[in-house]
Each structure stands twice: as C-alpha cells, then as structure tokens.
C-alpha cells in the first residue's frame, strides 16, 4: 500500500498482519478523496483506523490534524509506525473503542471537518455510533463511511451526499441535512 497523493505521495505504508483489519486500497482511497475534495487545514477523525491509511492520506493531502481511533493493539502500533516513517505531524492515536471515543468527543463538544469510518463489514447496525456522529461533525463537515458493497447505510440526522461501489466496498459520504 502507498500514499496516493500529497506531500508523501508514493510512500509505502505498513499494514497490520493477519486478517483482522482490511486496509482501504489505494484505488478506493483515491476515489474517496476525489469525492470529498481538498482537505487543507481539516480536523480529521479516523475511526476503526486499522493501518491508518485514510487518515495518513488526509495528512499527506494537507489536513491540519488527524485523530486515529483503533481498538486493536497491533493495528494501533502500525499507525504509530506509519506516522513515524512518514514524518507526519498533527496526529494522535487512541487505542480504544470507537463508540466510547465518539461519546467522549460528543460530550466534550469536539468537532471534526472530516470523519472517516471503516467499521468491520460484519457491522451493519450503526446504532451504537450513529447518535454521536452528527454531534462530532462540524456544520459543513463530511462523514465517509465504508461498508460492504451490498450494504446501503442510513444514519439519522445526516443526509447521503453520494454513495459509490468499488468492487466489494461501498463508500457513502454523509453531510448534515
């Protein structure tokens, strides 16, 4: 896997070993960032971050800060390794449950311009995180939710801006209604 564009374009990144994480491929990442446009100066939240590929891509493309949330120890360590290798600043990695982090950020009034969420494809009920997502998304912010291609997610209080399939992956971009 490589960073697709920005200041670290072409740099290889590490992925956690095993089948527990499913890093977003280069082609899908490129398509996502084409859909959402420039991220210069953005505050980014990368939930279920895995290798951190999406948040790393955002930082490479000019995001001001990225918060990575990953519960798996090896995956969180991989993100730290990637940040060190790429010499990217403005990042923090939380090794904790995504729902818990969302609840804390919502309660604390923390807001993000871009939320990237790539939960396990087996997760098709987003109720546990859906109530917090509108509260952590800035007024003109975007949420990018990756799911299995056959899943068409809906989230209360957020409108679908676009939804596209790329092989076995569906990318749905949400915004405030």
């Amino acid at each position: 896997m490589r960073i697709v564009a920005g200041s670290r374009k072409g740099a290889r990144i590490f992925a956690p070993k095993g089948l527990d994480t499913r890093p977003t491929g280069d082609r899908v990442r490129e398509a996502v960032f084409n859909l959402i446009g420039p991220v210069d100066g953005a505050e980014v939240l990368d939930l279920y971050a895995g290798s951190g590929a999406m948040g790393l891509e955002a930082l490479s493309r000019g995001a001001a800060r990225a918060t990575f949330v990953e519960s798996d120890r090896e995956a969180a360590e991989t993100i730290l390794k990637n940040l060190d290798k790429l010499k990217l600043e403005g990042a923090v990695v939380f090794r904790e449950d995504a729902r818990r982090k969302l609840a804390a950020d919502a309660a604390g009034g923390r807001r993000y311009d871009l939320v990237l969420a790539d939960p396990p494809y087996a997760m098709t009920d987003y109720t546990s995180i859906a109530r917090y997502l509108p509260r952590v998304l800035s007024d003109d912010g975007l949420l990018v939710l990756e799911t299995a291609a056959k899943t068409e997610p809906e989230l209360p209080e957020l409108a679908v801006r676009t939804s596209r399939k790329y092989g076995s992956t569906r990318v749905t971009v949400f915004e405030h209604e």
Side-chain angles (χ1 to χ4, degrees), residues 32-40 61 142:
V32 165
F33 283 91
N34 285 341
L35 286 173
I36 62 177
V39 295
D40 298 306
R61 291 172 181 246
L142 297 175

Side-chain angles (χ1 to χ4, degrees), residues 3-12 56 60 86-89:
I3 298 295
V4 177
S7 64
R8 304 305 191 272
K9 180 180 180 176
R12 289 187 182 275
L56 295 168
S60 177
L86 299 174
K87 306 284 187 252
L88 288 167
E89 296 180 3

Side-chain angles (χ1 to χ4, degrees), residues 32-170:
V32 165
F33 283 91
N34 285 341
L35 286 173
I36 62 177
V39 295
D40 298 306
E43 295 276 341
V44 178
L45 175 63
D46 189 349
L47 297 168
Y48 308 96
S51 66
M54 293 294 283
L56 295 168
E57 188 73 42
L59 286 169
S60 177
R61 291 172 181 246
R65 280 181 278 293
T67 300
F68 296 87
V69 181
E70 175 54 59
S71 61
D72 181 78
R73 181 187 53 78
E74 185 182 342
E77 288 172 1
T78 300
I79 297 167
L80 290 169
K81 214 163 112 177
N82 282 324
L83 287 165
D84 184 55
K85 177 183 180 183
L86 299 174
K87 306 284 187 252
L88 288 167
E89 296 180 3
V92 61
V93 179
F94 289 90
R95 198 178 117 218
E96 71 178 282
D97 175 71
R99 187 201 54 77
R100 202 168 325 158
K101 176 67 173 143
L102 277 172
D105 283 357
R110 183 87 161 90
R111 310 258 300 201
Y112 300 92
D113 304 306
L114 177 61
V115 176
L116 305 163
D118 187 8
Y121 281 0
M123 179 178 172
T124 55
D125 179 5
Y126 304 105
T127 309
S128 66
I129 62 171
R131 63 187 275 198
Y132 303 111
L133 289 167
R135 293 169 40 201
V136 301
L137 196 61
S138 66
D139 293 339
D140 57 350
L142 297 175
L143 163 67
V144 176
L145 180 61
E146 282 186 59
T147 61
K150 64 182 183 280
T151 303
E152 294 188 38
E154 292 181 14
L155 297 172
E157 299 180 52
L158 294 174
V160 173
R161 183 184 205 181
T162 188
S163 185
R164 309 271 174 91
K165 282 196 258 183
Y166 304 96
S168 63
T169 301
R170 176 181 300 275

